[in-house]
Amino acid sequence: IKISSFFSFSFLYRKSTVLFLLFSCFYLAASSQEILKSTLEESYKDGAWTPSWLWNYEYDRNTNLVTRIESNNLQGHQSWDYCFNLAYNSNHQSSSIVYQQWENGIYENAWRWQVEYQSDEQVKRIFYEEWNGLQWLIQFKADFVYDTDRLMSETLSIWDNNQWFEGLRYSYSYNNGTEVYYEGWDGIQWVIDQRETYAYNMDGKVISCREEDWRNGQWEERAFITYEYDQHGNELKESTFRDESNQASSYVSYDYDLSERQSDFIHPFAVIAFMNPHFLVFDSDIMDLPDHVSQFLGSTNWRYDRDTESYQPTSRMVHNYEEFVNNHESEKLEASFSLYPNPASDRITVSGLTNSQSPYVISDITGKVMQRGLIHQDYEIEIGSLSIGSYLLTVEGVGSIRFIRN
């Protein structure tokens, strides 16, 4: 039944409750707000910061995040490696997330999520599917059960031999703080494996999380996490303690612009936190989502060094609200041709091509070809028949440029 495959990524599911509920009600209404344009991750080594990952974000006219492109190993790197494309329903809730990889000069499908909602707009079910080159194949699903507005359980099931097999269940109790139980199905019954216990302050903010494993008939603590806030309500620090030590083994510090309120900026952090290739999980290595009021500028990860008896930085995230950041791939692609305007509503103009005629295709976020034809220098392509969203224009033998139809 492949139960073990669930546990291979279950450790990545931490804090999914809070983030998932944020995701399920995440709206980005059109306004004059500034938007988050890019994020840079850097690693600290030998006393210097080295770029390691770069993310750029694109939005539709309702300022919904529609595309996130990313590149890793930036030093000497020559490509945007991955692309996430999001589609939304009429309530501006994400209904589909498609993950693509850059291969052979184009973005090729890898996997996607399909999201179903209840009538009260809470997430009902999510399907995880992988692309086999011809069609999407279902791999997993997650079903969600609520008591009014509180999440009570999440059940993850595997599709195998044309039937569903339950594999993992997350159950929630709200009597004393919040308890989350992680259970695996052994073919006969649910077996408890782990639990997390959250405590809150008078303002309803999480102040601690105790992570435990069920072993030999008793709970054994794996980690204890504490959360600290400033007087404005911004989370300042998240510390992790292990091995019953009074010394935190690591912590994350968060940076803000206290003169600005985060509500004045478009920030797709809740959606970003939900976009992880390991299926329905919050990936703390990609993006953290602290509880904050002021403008969120970034975070730094620190680890305790026993040799020096001090904390040393390991990595940091820097959020840029001012400009998109290019890597070598964007320069390479756009050096041969360009398109404008972008976003566009009726037509786009392509310029910079050297061939008299070149085949082109326009594909949507699922990789489906929506339009094709021949293109030449300063050629106008009608796009008025396309639905609002993000698309990829690929010119054969030249490259690809993503554009938004609004």
Side-chain angles (χ1 to χ4, degrees):
I1 304 179
K2 298 188 293 188
I3 296 301
S4 60
S5 65
F6 275 113
F7 287 98
S8 68
F9 63 77
S10 64
F11 70 96
L12 291 172
Y13 209 89
R14 310 294 183 241
K15 302 181 192 172
S16 60
T17 310
V18 176
L19 289 167
F20 187 84
L21 293 177
L22 281 170
F23 173 84
S24 66
C25 62
F26 195 77
Y27 301 94
L28 293 176
S31 68
S32 59
Q33 294 172 305
E34 293 185 49
I35 62 173
L36 177 69
K37 294 184 173 66
S38 62
T39 298
L40 176 66
E41 181 184 60
E42 299 176 298
S43 299
Y44 191 77
K45 186 177 182 181
D46 300 327
W49 290 103
T50 302
S52 54
W53 280 90
L54 172 65
W55 294 270
N56 273 351
Y57 313 105
E58 298 174 356
Y59 305 80
D60 63 17
R61 64 180 179 181
N62 294 314
T63 58
N64 294 309
L65 176 70
V66 292
T67 303
R68 186 188 82 176
I69 56 175
E70 58 186 52
S71 177
N72 68 343
N73 301 322
L74 297 181
Q75 288 190 328
H77 201 51
Q78 296 293 319
S79 68
W80 288 105
D81 299 282
Y82 311 106
C83 179
F84 290 90
N85 299 288
L86 292 87
Y88 295 83
N89 61 22
S90 58
N91 294 321
H92 302 292
Q93 296 169 303
S94 182
S95 57
S96 175
I97 301 176
V98 179
Y99 171 77
Q100 298 175 315
Q101 294 176 307
W102 183 260
E103 298 285 349
N104 303 316
I106 62 172
Y107 284 110
E108 297 185 351
N109 292 329
W111 55 262
R112 74 177 180 182
W113 295 340
Q114 298 282 79
V115 187
E116 296 180 0
Y117 294 88
Q118 300 179 159
S119 58
D120 59 4
E121 300 182 354
Q122 292 176 321
V123 173
K124 175 183 179 182
R125 184 176 295 113
I126 298 181
F127 292 97
Y128 170 77
E129 303 170 332
E130 294 182 353
W131 181 253
N132 70 351
L134 297 174
Q135 60 183 335
W136 292 104
L137 301 178
I138 294 176
Q139 304 293 320
F140 307 99
K141 72 170 180 176
D143 292 285
F144 301 83
V145 176
Y146 303 85
D147 179 6
T148 312
D149 60 346
R150 295 195 301 187
L151 182 62
M152 301 305 296
S153 69
E154 310 165 38
T155 303
L156 278 67
S157 305
I158 299 174
W159 181 251
D160 190 35
N161 294 325
N162 294 319
Q163 58 182 317
W164 289 108
F165 294 94
E166 294 180 329
L168 279 182
R169 183 173 69 181
Y170 305 85
S171 301
Y172 302 87
S173 172
Y174 301 94
N175 294 325
N176 298 306
T178 301
E179 290 184 333
V180 185
Y181 291 90
Y182 301 79
E183 304 167 294
W185 181 255
D186 66 1
I188 300 176
Q189 61 184 344
W190 290 105
V191 179
I192 293 177
D193 180 65
Q194 303 169 8
R195 77 174 176 186
E196 294 178 356
T197 304
Y198 295 86
Y200 304 85
N201 62 18
M202 296 297 293
D203 296 324
K205 296 181 181 295
V206 176
I207 57 174
S208 69
C209 172
R210 189 180 304 276
E211 299 179 354
E212 300 170 292
D213 297 316
W214 182 254
R215 295 177 180 172
N216 302 319
Q218 62 182 356
W219 289 108
E220 296 183 7
E221 184 173 298
R222 181 177 64 256
F224 185 70
I225 304 170
T226 61
Y227 305 85
E228 301 174 24
Y229 303 86
D230 64 15
Q231 67 271 28
H232 305 287
N234 298 305
E235 182 182 337
L236 291 179
K237 189 177 183 180
E238 177 182 324
S239 303
T240 300
F241 298 83
R242 302 182 186 276
D243 303 325
E244 298 181 355
S245 171
N246 292 326
Q247 185 73 53
S249 60
S250 62
Y251 73 88
V252 183
S253 59
Y254 301 101
D255 301 312
Y256 305 92
D257 182 349
L258 298 181
S259 67
E260 299 281 0
R261 294 185 62 84
Q262 184 65 75
S263 57
D264 293 330
F265 297 85
I266 295 300
H267 51 98
F269 298 148
V271 174
I272 295 169
F274 209 65
M275 300 187 328
N276 181 281
H278 295 87
F279 178 56
L280 304 183
V281 296
F282 167 62
D283 189 340
S284 58
D285 295 328
I286 291 182
M287 181 73 69
D288 210 338
L289 184 65
D291 194 345
H292 58 284
V293 176
S294 302
Q295 184 188 3
F296 184 31
L297 300 180
S299 59
T300 304
N301 291 279
W302 303 78
R303 186 174 299 279
Y304 185 71
D305 187 328
R306 296 184 182 275
D307 294 332
T308 62
E309 296 184 344
S310 63
Y311 289 97
Q312 302 296 324
T314 59
S315 63
R316 69 181 179 186
M317 309 284 287
V318 181
H319 305 307
N320 191 330
Y321 297 84
E322 301 296 330
E323 61 185 358
F324 296 103
V325 180
N326 290 328
N327 74 346
H328 300 289
E329 176 64 17
S330 61
E331 296 169 1
K332 180 184 71 174
L333 289 176
E334 295 179 10
S336 55
F337 78 98
S338 61
L339 65 82
Y340 62 90
N342 190 11
S345 56
D346 299 319
R347 63 184 61 84
I348 54 175
T349 300
V350 178
S351 63
L353 296 175
T354 57
N355 295 337
S356 57
Q357 284 190 333
S358 298
Y360 78 88
V361 296
I362 294 177
S363 53
D364 65 9
I365 64 172
T366 69
K368 179 181 179 181
V369 174
M370 307 299 296
Q371 200 168 309
R372 65 173 71 243
L374 294 175
I375 194 173
H376 52 77
Q377 173 69 2
D378 296 327
Y379 185 80
E380 286 192 348
I381 301 177
E382 298 290 335
I383 61 170
S385 62
L386 299 176
S387 299
I388 293 172
S390 178
Y391 296 88
L392 189 70
L393 169 65
T394 300
V395 180
E396 184 177 301
V398 181
S400 303
I401 292 181
R402 190 164 298 281
F403 69 92
I404 296 173
R405 196 262 166 174
N406 61 14

